[in-house]
Amino acid sequence: MEKGKIIFLNGVTSSGKTSIVDALQSRRDVFFYVVANDLFQEMVGEQYLQEDYWKYLSEVIIMMYHTAKLYSDMGKNVLIDGILVERDEIKPHYQQLKEIMKDSPLSIVEVYCPLDICKQRNIERGDRYESQSEEQAQLMSQDIQYSLTVDTSVLTPEECAEKIVQELF
């Protein structure tokens, strides 16, 4: 059986990852299952996240990668909506992802947006704090080998989705 493609949308909060996921899922030419940090975080009880947020989030992120690999192994295309951060609890995060996906067709897409625009989006959303994107940018893994970069400050989510499909399929 041919493995499904795994497309990892990597970017800070409010960079536009979830909007791109929505645009990709509304297309009729390619179908994706979605795994996302936010969805997997909900698997952990709130009391545990309050007790030791990064410990439990790190564990569930690794489980998310194994889930994405399983879907791919079953011939399904998968979108990962996440961010590759290097915290002590998950280091070496990027290397762990590459090891889990070593035999899988993984493409990492940089979802780029200038931090001042992300900051404004955080304010408008109201469910993120103002400096959250900047803090995540400081923690982001270095030297990531991207297959593609999309800039959500100049492209709509639909244009980003089109670029991803055209370049990676």
Side-chain angles (χ1 to χ4, degrees), residues 11 16 36 38 41 52 56 61 79 86 91 118 122 133 140 145 147 161 163 166:
D38 294 346
Q41 180 177 320
D52 196 341
Y56 292 105
I61 285 171
L79 291 172
E86 293 298 338
K91 278 184 180 175
C118 290
N122 286 338
S133 302
M140 192 169 294
Q145 295 176 325
S147 302
K163 187 174 181 179
Q166 291 300 315

Side-chain angles (χ1 to χ4, degrees), residues 5-9 17-18 20-26 30-37 39-40 64 68 71 76-82 107 109 161 164-165 168-169:
K5 292 185 183 285
I6 301 171
I7 310 296
F8 190 124
L9 301 177
K17 299 180 305 290
T18 304
I20 295 170
V21 166
D22 292 343
L24 283 164
Q25 285 198 299
S26 71
V30 62
F31 177 82
F32 291 97
Y33 286 94
V34 178
V35 297
N37 284 5
L39 296 172
F40 274 70
M64 179 179 75
Y71 276 79
K76 308 300 181 189
N77 295 322
V78 183
L79 291 172
I80 299 175
D81 178 346
S107 296
V109 175
I164 290 167
V165 170
L168 302 179
F169 282 83

Side-chain angles (χ1 to χ4, degrees), residues 146-158:
Y146 288 109
S147 302
L148 177 67
T149 297
V150 293
D151 183 342
T152 64
S153 69
V154 295
L155 298 175
T156 67
E158 293 74 22

Side-chain angles (χ1 to χ4, degrees), residues 10-158:
N10 184 52
V12 298
T13 193
S14 294
S15 62
K17 299 180 305 290
T18 304
S19 296
I20 295 170
V21 166
D22 292 343
L24 283 164
Q25 285 198 299
S26 71
R27 296 176 66 98
R28 303 298 293 168
D29 56 344
V30 62
F31 177 82
F32 291 97
Y33 286 94
V34 178
V35 297
N37 284 5
D38 294 346
L39 296 172
F40 274 70
Q41 180 177 320
E42 291 177 17
M43 300 169 86
V44 180
E46 189 62 35
Q47 70 274 13
Y48 295 105
L49 290 173
Q50 289 178 5
E51 175 186 309
D52 196 341
Y53 177 81
W54 280 104
K55 174 190 183 296
Y56 292 105
L57 182 64
S58 298
E59 290 174 358
V60 82
I61 285 171
I62 296 304
M63 288 186 270
M64 179 179 75
Y65 297 156
H66 284 284
T67 301
K69 181 180 179 356
L70 175 65
Y71 276 79
S72 172
D73 289 347
M74 296 175 68
K76 308 300 181 189
N77 295 322
V78 183
L79 291 172
I80 299 175
D81 178 346
I83 178 172
L84 289 163
V85 296
E86 293 298 338
R87 295 262 318 179
D88 287 340
E89 298 85 350
I90 197 167
K91 278 184 180 175
H93 187 171
Y94 179 46
Q95 293 304 320
Q96 286 188 72
L97 171 70
K98 290 194 310 186
E99 180 61 28
I100 292 166
M101 301 295 181
K102 68 181 173 206
D103 297 321
S104 299
L106 172 67
S107 296
I108 303 175
V109 175
E110 178 183 26
V111 180
Y112 171 79
C113 184
L115 291 176
D116 59 323
I117 294 174
C118 290
K119 181 178 182 177
Q120 187 58 42
R121 290 176 180 174
N122 286 338
I123 293 167
E124 291 168 5
R125 287 173 69 158
D127 64 346
R128 303 287 194 271
Y129 55 92
E130 202 172 304
S131 62
Q132 192 167 350
S133 302
E134 294 167 318
E135 290 172 16
Q136 289 178 351
Q138 296 299 314
L139 296 172
M140 192 169 294
S141 301
Q142 300 297 309
D143 303 318
I144 298 170
Q145 295 176 325
Y146 288 109
S147 302
L148 177 67
T149 297
V150 293
D151 183 342
T152 64
S153 69
V154 295
L155 298 175
T156 67
E158 293 74 22

